[in-house]
Amino acid sequence: MAAGTRKTIRKTETFTDGERAAMKERAQEVKAAARRGSRADKAAEDEAAVVAKIAEMEDADRAMAERIHAVVKASAPGLAPKLWYGMPAYAKDGKVVCFFQSAQKFNARYATFGFNDKANLDEGTMWPTAFALTKLTAADEARIGELVKRAAG
């Protein structure tokens, strides 16, 4: 560079306020998990935290999250509820298999129910890993139940 000139580096990618808040929530979740006692205490506290997070949601998201929580618990009782980046999630052997993300979390027009790579949903070379939700019908709940059961297997 010539004397007297400055190279300006322009940041083009930054985290949104919602993304930063989710990262902070995840850090708090990890710290809280490290402080807990027995495995039974951890499981009870994790489920209570999920139920409390669902209770904080706006009406439409809360209703869907409550139904999804019930469907997941009934379809795959081996999955453990826990918070993951401030979202209700369900884990097997400590690894998140599926999660619910409210629309309000990132100011989206729809909520999301998604699966992580630990989910056993493989179908050939391509398969869906997340679903947009605006409301839940009985058919939607049945499909989620089937997918969760398969994902946890």
Side-chain angles (χ1 to χ4, degrees):
M1 266 195 298
T5 62
R6 281 197 318 198
K7 186 176 181 180
T8 303
I9 298 173
R10 196 169 135 211
K11 243 185 193 181
T12 58
E13 295 181 29
T14 60
F15 293 109
T16 66
D17 291 341
E19 290 167 335
R20 279 192 292 281
M23 289 185 284
K24 287 179 184 178
E25 284 181 293
R26 181 68 183 136
Q28 290 171 343
E29 293 159 10
V30 171
K31 286 179 188 177
R35 289 190 298 260
R36 293 191 191 128
S38 73
R39 184 172 290 182
D41 289 345
K42 286 180 183 182
E45 288 179 25
D46 283 345
E47 178 146 14
V50 166
V51 170
K53 184 58 77 173
I54 290 170
E56 293 174 6
M57 294 178 186
E58 292 178 0
D59 293 344
D61 285 344
R62 183 175 57 249
M64 284 191 288
E66 287 170 346
R67 289 300 311 137
I68 286 174
H69 183 70
V71 168
V72 171
K73 288 185 58 106
S75 301
L79 292 182
K82 67 184 275 178
L83 287 180
W84 183 65
Y85 293 94
M87 298 178 285
Y90 304 87
K92 181 178 180 180
D93 301 325
K95 303 291 183 184
V96 171
V97 173
C98 56
F99 60 91
F100 175 80
Q101 178 180 303
S102 70
Q104 77 186 61
K105 180 106 179 136
F106 296 109
N107 298 318
R109 69 181 178 96
Y110 52 80
T112 304
F113 184 72
F115 296 91
N116 279 346
D117 62 334
K118 299 299 177 196
N120 295 319
L121 294 175
D122 303 34
E123 291 178 2
T125 60
M126 186 173 88
W127 58 90
T129 59
F131 298 87
L133 302 170
T134 56
K135 69 179 198 169
L136 283 177
T137 65
D140 297 332
E141 289 181 18
R143 183 169 183 207
I144 289 170
E146 290 169 14
L147 287 169
V148 167
K149 187 180 286 186
R150 203 168 94 208

